[in-house]
Amino acid sequence: MKRHGNLFGSFSDADNIERAARMSDHYKPENTAKVCALLHSDEFQPSDAYNITINDGKERLLTILPENPDKIIHRALLLILRPIWDKVFIADSYCGIRKRGQLPAALRTRSFIQEARKSGRVYCLKFDMRKFYPTIKHDVLKALVRRSIKDKQILRYLDAIIDSEEGVMLGSPISPYFANLYITYLCHRLKEKMGAKWLINYADDFIILSNDKEFLHRLLKEIEGYSTVELRIEVKRNKQIFPVALDRSDKHGRGIDFLGFVFYLNETRIRKGIKQALCRKIAKLRKAKNPISRKDFLQAIAPWWGWLKYSDSQYLINQLNKISPYEIKFRR
C-alpha cells in the first residue's frame, strides 16, 4: 500500500482551512486566519471538551468540541485525508463515507440478498463489536493510520486528536474515518483471503451472506480470533448465524434486522421500534391543539421518510393515513 507524505502544505493552506470553516453553520470569516496562524506556529493542542449522553436506540457518549479551532482542524484534515482513506476502505463499508451512508447500505443489502438466493438457501452471519468506539486501542489505531500516512506533521495532529479521548470520540468529523480504518483490514481479510463475497459493514455492524452455513461458522471463528489478537476488541456475544426467511410469516428462517429495516428474501419491512415511533409521532401531531401545515407535517415525519419509501410498507401507510393530518404518499 502506498504511504502518502508531503500533505501538511495542502492541509494548512488558507483555501483548505476556509473550506473547512465554511462547513459550519456558525461560520466566521476571522476564524480562517486564526486557525492558519495556529497551524503555522505549530502550537495546536486539542481543546478541552465535554461529553453528553445521547440515546438513539442505545446509550452513547457524545463529545462536544469547540468549533474553533478543533472542528475546523478536524474537517481540514479530513478534506486532505479522505481521498486517501476512501481508497483503503472496501467498497461495501458505508458509515460516514461520502456518497455512501445508511440508505445505499440498505439498497446494497437487498441487492446481495437477491443475488445470493439465486444459488440456493441463504444464510446470514450478523454481528457487531462490544462497546466498539470506547474500546478502540490508540496504539493499534495509530499503527493502522501509518499504513497510509507518513507525513510527520500530519501524524502529530492525528495522534493528538486520537489521544485526546479514551477510545475514539463520537462527535468529531474525523471519528467515523478512524472507526472505518480500525475495522477495514478485517474486512479486506474476510473478502480477499476468506472469500466472503456478500459482506456489508456499517461501522462495527456486519452482515455476511452465504449459501453455506458451515462457511459462515468458519468466518466467525476467524473474525473472533483476528478481533481479539490484532485489534484487541471483542465480538458481542449476541452474534447470530441463521437462514433468511422468505417473509415475516415464514417460520423456517428469520429476517435480517439491519439499518432500521428487516430484510427478507421476498420483502423489506421497517424495524418494529421505528414503526412504533412513527405511529406515536403521527398520533401526537393529530392531537395537537393548533393544526399544522402540510409542509410542517412532512418535516415532522422526515426522519421516517426513507424507511417508508424503501420498504414494503403500503399497508402501514394506508393505516396511518386514516389517522394522519395529511395523506402520506410518494412516488415509488
Side-chain angles (χ1 to χ4, degrees), residues 43-108:
E43 294 179 356
F44 169 74
Q45 292 296 330
S47 304
D48 291 334
Y50 65 93
N51 295 321
I52 61 171
T53 300
I54 60 171
N55 194 322
D56 56 356
K58 65 170 78 171
E59 198 171 270
R60 305 173 192 269
L61 205 61
L62 182 67
T63 301
I64 306 300
L65 291 167
E67 176 64 30
N68 180 34
D70 294 67
K71 280 193 174 182
I72 294 175
I73 289 175
H74 291 203
R75 287 194 293 264
L77 281 167
L78 196 53
L79 286 170
I80 299 304
L81 299 176
R82 185 165 55 194
I84 297 170
W85 284 342
D86 281 352
K87 295 176 182 178
V88 175
F89 305 142
I90 65 166
D92 289 307
S93 286
Y94 287 90
C95 181
I97 301 174
R98 185 175 48 178
K99 296 183 179 179
R100 302 190 199 176
Q102 193 167 352
L103 180 56
L107 297 177
R108 186 67 161 166

Side-chain angles (χ1 to χ4, degrees), residues 108-121:
R108 186 67 161 166
T109 300
R110 197 155 63 186
S111 172
F112 275 176
I113 290 171
Q114 297 310 311
E115 189 177 336
R117 72 182 300 187
K118 294 176 184 178
S119 303
R121 189 72 185 271

Side-chain angles (χ1 to χ4, degrees), residues 50-318:
Y50 65 93
N51 295 321
I52 61 171
T53 300
I54 60 171
N55 194 322
D56 56 356
K58 65 170 78 171
E59 198 171 270
R60 305 173 192 269
L61 205 61
L62 182 67
T63 301
I64 306 300
L65 291 167
E67 176 64 30
N68 180 34
D70 294 67
K71 280 193 174 182
I72 294 175
I73 289 175
H74 291 203
R75 287 194 293 264
L77 281 167
L78 196 53
L79 286 170
I80 299 304
L81 299 176
R82 185 165 55 194
I84 297 170
W85 284 342
D86 281 352
K87 295 176 182 178
V88 175
F89 305 142
I90 65 166
D92 289 307
S93 286
Y94 287 90
C95 181
I97 301 174
R98 185 175 48 178
K99 296 183 179 179
R100 302 190 199 176
Q102 193 167 352
L103 180 56
L107 297 177
R108 186 67 161 166
T109 300
R110 197 155 63 186
S111 172
F112 275 176
I113 290 171
Q114 297 310 311
E115 189 177 336
R117 72 182 300 187
K118 294 176 184 178
S119 303
R121 189 72 185 271
V122 181
Y123 297 90
C124 178
L125 164 59
K126 184 176 184 295
F127 69 94
D128 62 341
M129 301 298 177
R130 180 178 177 272
K131 296 182 178 180
F132 178 55
Y133 278 82
T135 61
I136 286 176
K137 305 300 185 290
H138 290 184
D139 60 327
V140 176
L141 177 56
K142 289 176 184 179
L144 295 174
V145 166
R146 282 160 172 79
R147 289 193 182 190
S148 54
I149 307 298
K150 64 181 180 181
D151 185 302
K152 291 182 179 180
Q153 288 175 288
I154 293 291
L155 289 172
R156 189 183 78 77
Y157 281 85
L158 293 175
D159 288 351
I161 293 169
I162 290 169
D163 288 336
S164 65
E165 289 277 336
E166 184 178 354
V168 164
M169 70 177 79
L170 285 172
S172 163
I174 207 168
S175 294
Y177 273 74
F178 284 152
N180 287 330
L181 272 178
Y182 207 81
I183 215 78
T184 197
Y185 295 100
L186 170 60
C187 296
H188 281 290
R189 185 178 185 87
L190 295 174
K191 289 184 71 68
E192 294 152 19
K193 294 189 176 181
M194 301 295 293
K197 182 179 179 182
W198 299 306
L199 177 155
I200 291 177
N201 86 287
Y202 193 88
D204 64 316
D205 289 322
F206 283 77
I207 62 163
I208 306 175
L209 305 178
S210 177
N211 303 118
D212 183 348
K213 188 176 181 180
E214 293 307 313
F215 171 69
L216 294 180
H217 280 286
R218 292 195 298 273
L219 279 187
L220 179 57
K221 186 175 180 180
E222 175 72 16
I223 291 161
E224 291 180 317
Y226 186 93
S227 300
T228 302
V229 175
E230 301 294 334
L231 302 179
R232 307 209 309 272
I233 56 176
E234 298 178 25
V235 175
K236 275 188 184 177
R237 293 182 181 179
N238 63 352
K239 69 261 185 178
Q240 308 158 18
I241 296 175
F242 55 89
V244 181
L246 288 171
D247 51 43
R248 60 181 177 175
S249 64
D250 180 6
K251 304 303 181 184
H252 297 94
R254 294 169 47 193
I256 303 170
D257 189 339
F258 188 53
L259 303 170
F261 296 96
V262 182
F263 298 93
Y264 299 92
L265 297 183
N266 290 341
E267 63 183 14
T268 302
R269 298 286 178 176
I270 299 175
R271 181 184 290 163
K272 183 178 179 181
I274 291 173
K275 179 172 67 175
Q276 290 173 336
L278 172 60
C279 292
R280 287 194 294 268
K281 182 66 176 181
I282 289 180
K284 184 177 179 180
L285 294 173
R286 183 187 63 170
K287 294 176 182 177
K289 291 182 180 179
N290 299 317
I292 64 172
S293 67
R294 177 170 179 79
K295 180 181 178 180
D296 289 340
F297 169 75
L298 293 177
Q299 185 173 354
I301 68 165
W304 294 272
W305 196 257
W307 283 303
L308 287 173
K309 187 173 183 179
Y310 292 98
S311 63
D312 298 298
S313 299
Q314 194 58 53
Y315 177 79
L316 172 63
I317 291 169
N318 291 340

Side-chain angles (χ1 to χ4, degrees), residues 19-30:
R19 285 179 63 200
R22 285 185 177 276
M23 292 179 180
S24 170
D25 293 334
H26 308 287
Y27 168 69
K28 295 180 180 179
E30 61 269 24

